[in-house]
């Protein structure tokens, strides 16, 4: 076990909830039905792909490319308003301790987030210094469920995929980790985390010891 590659939203901090709230208010303004079950499909997916999925539930053809840019920007403004108040207290349970254990054990740490707000959020949480690599999502050609973002994390750390654990809260993310040939840890319910090698209900269950136990058991 050489490296752990983390998703951000919903794994390191509960910003998945803020994405939900920001999309929810946009959908409401557009008169498009939106709920938590549908929102599961948006986790791990880029802003523009998420918007397309939401608009497809309404009258998608009614929106020009220019409209879409404006709508995506509107969602992002609301999202940025919500994340501007993040503090280190918003790091999810168990994550800080795990990052310290990994650093002390000299296990590589990378971030594989689809979010263009990722660097800002890590800074707000005061976690940037733990990461040996934060994959630049603007340089990634294929988003999750494609493995590219996780494979890039492994390359940046100089490790083989087989020596990596990926941690995700999105179905698209679990698929990306498995397609990358890595060990997948899902945070959520087993039905949301299909294909994961192990599933934890909350990040409080994560520790270096439990990751090692499951990783070496295969
Ligand atoms: C992912 C989230 O981490 O980032 C998605 O799970 C989100 O919900 C995506 O759409 C893109 O985020 P952003 O901040 O670039 O709009
Ligand atoms: Mg996530």
């Amino acid at each position: 076990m050489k490296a752990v590659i983390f998703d951000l939203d919903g794994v390191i901090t509960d910003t998945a909830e803020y994405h939900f709230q920001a999309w929810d208010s946009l959908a409401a303004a557009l008169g498009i039905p939106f709920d938590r079950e549908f929102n599961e499909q948006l986790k791990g997916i880029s802003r523009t792909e998420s918007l397309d999925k939401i608009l497809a539930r309404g009258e998608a053809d009614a929106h020009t490319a220019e409209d879409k840019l404006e709508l995506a920007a509107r969602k992002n403004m609301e999202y940025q308003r919500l994340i501007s108040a993040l503090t280190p207290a918003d790091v999810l349970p168990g994550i800080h301790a795990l990052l310290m254990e990994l650093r002390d054990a000299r296990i590589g740490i990378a971030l594989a987030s689809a979010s263009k707000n990722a660097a800002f959020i890590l800074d707000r949480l005061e976690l940037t210094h733990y990461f040996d690599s934060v994959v630049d999502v603007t340089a990634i050609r294929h988003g999750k469920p494609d493995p590219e973002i996780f494979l890039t994390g492994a390359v940046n750390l100089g490790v083989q995929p087989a020596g990596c654990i990926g941690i995700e809260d999105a179905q698209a993310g679990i698929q990306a980790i498995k397609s990358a040939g890595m060990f997948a840890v899902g945070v959520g319910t087993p039905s949301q985390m299909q294909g994961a090698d192990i599933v934890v209900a909350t990040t409080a269950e994560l520790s270096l010891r439990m990751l090692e136990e499951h990783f070496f058991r295969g």
Side-chain angles (χ1 to χ4, degrees):
M1 185 181 141
K2 301 282 188 209
V4 177
I5 306 182
F6 291 83
D7 174 46
L8 174 68
D9 298 318
V11 170
I12 288 178
T13 185
D14 199 14
T15 37
E17 176 62 22
Y18 293 156
H19 280 295
F20 168 76
Q21 289 176 19
W23 284 127
D24 189 40
S25 51
L26 184 76
L30 296 172
I32 295 174
F34 194 76
D35 56 37
R36 286 183 186 274
E37 195 192 336
F38 174 68
N39 184 62
E40 282 302 308
Q41 295 178 38
L42 307 184
K43 289 187 178 172
I45 304 292
S46 75
R47 197 181 309 159
T48 48
E49 283 176 280
S50 301
L51 179 64
D52 284 341
K53 281 182 189 271
I54 291 168
L55 294 179
R57 307 188 99 201
E59 291 162 37
D61 295 345
H63 299 278
T64 62
E66 209 183 354
D67 274 352
K68 288 196 202 174
L69 277 179
E70 192 271 320
L71 292 172
R74 218 205 285 179
K75 182 269 177 176
N76 194 47
M77 266 168 54
E78 171 63 2
Y79 180 66
Q80 287 183 334
R81 189 183 69 75
L82 294 167
I83 62 175
S84 65
L86 286 173
T87 73
D90 293 302
V91 178
L92 282 169
I95 294 294
H96 205 258
L98 176 61
L99 289 169
M100 286 195 289
E101 286 180 320
L102 293 172
R103 185 186 56 189
D104 293 349
R106 298 186 191 285
I107 292 170
I109 304 175
L111 191 80
S113 171
S115 173
K116 292 180 178 162
N117 293 294
F120 172 83
I121 292 173
L122 279 190
D123 275 353
R124 293 287 318 170
L125 301 174
E126 297 178 14
L127 294 180
T128 307
H129 62 102
Y130 285 106
F131 287 82
D132 303 304
S133 164
V134 174
V135 178
D136 175 9
V137 69
T138 63
I140 296 296
R141 277 182 303 173
H142 306 289
K144 300 170 190 176
D146 189 279
E148 185 180 354
I149 194 164
F150 283 95
L151 291 173
T152 304
V155 168
N156 291 351
L157 296 173
V159 298
Q160 294 298 318
C164 296
I165 292 182
I167 309 182
E168 264 287 352
D169 72 321
Q171 189 64 63
I174 295 294
Q175 274 176 259
I177 295 168
K178 291 315 297 173
S179 305
M182 299 178 182
F183 188 89
V185 177
V187 180
T189 65
S191 67
Q192 289 165 347
M193 297 289 107
Q194 281 169 35
D197 295 295
I198 54 165
V199 178
V200 294
T202 78
T203 53
E205 293 171 46
L206 299 170
S207 70
L208 175 57
R209 200 172 139 199
M210 74 79 77
L211 289 179
E212 281 178 334
E213 272 175 19
H214 289 282
F215 182 80
F216 289 113
R217 214 183 286 157

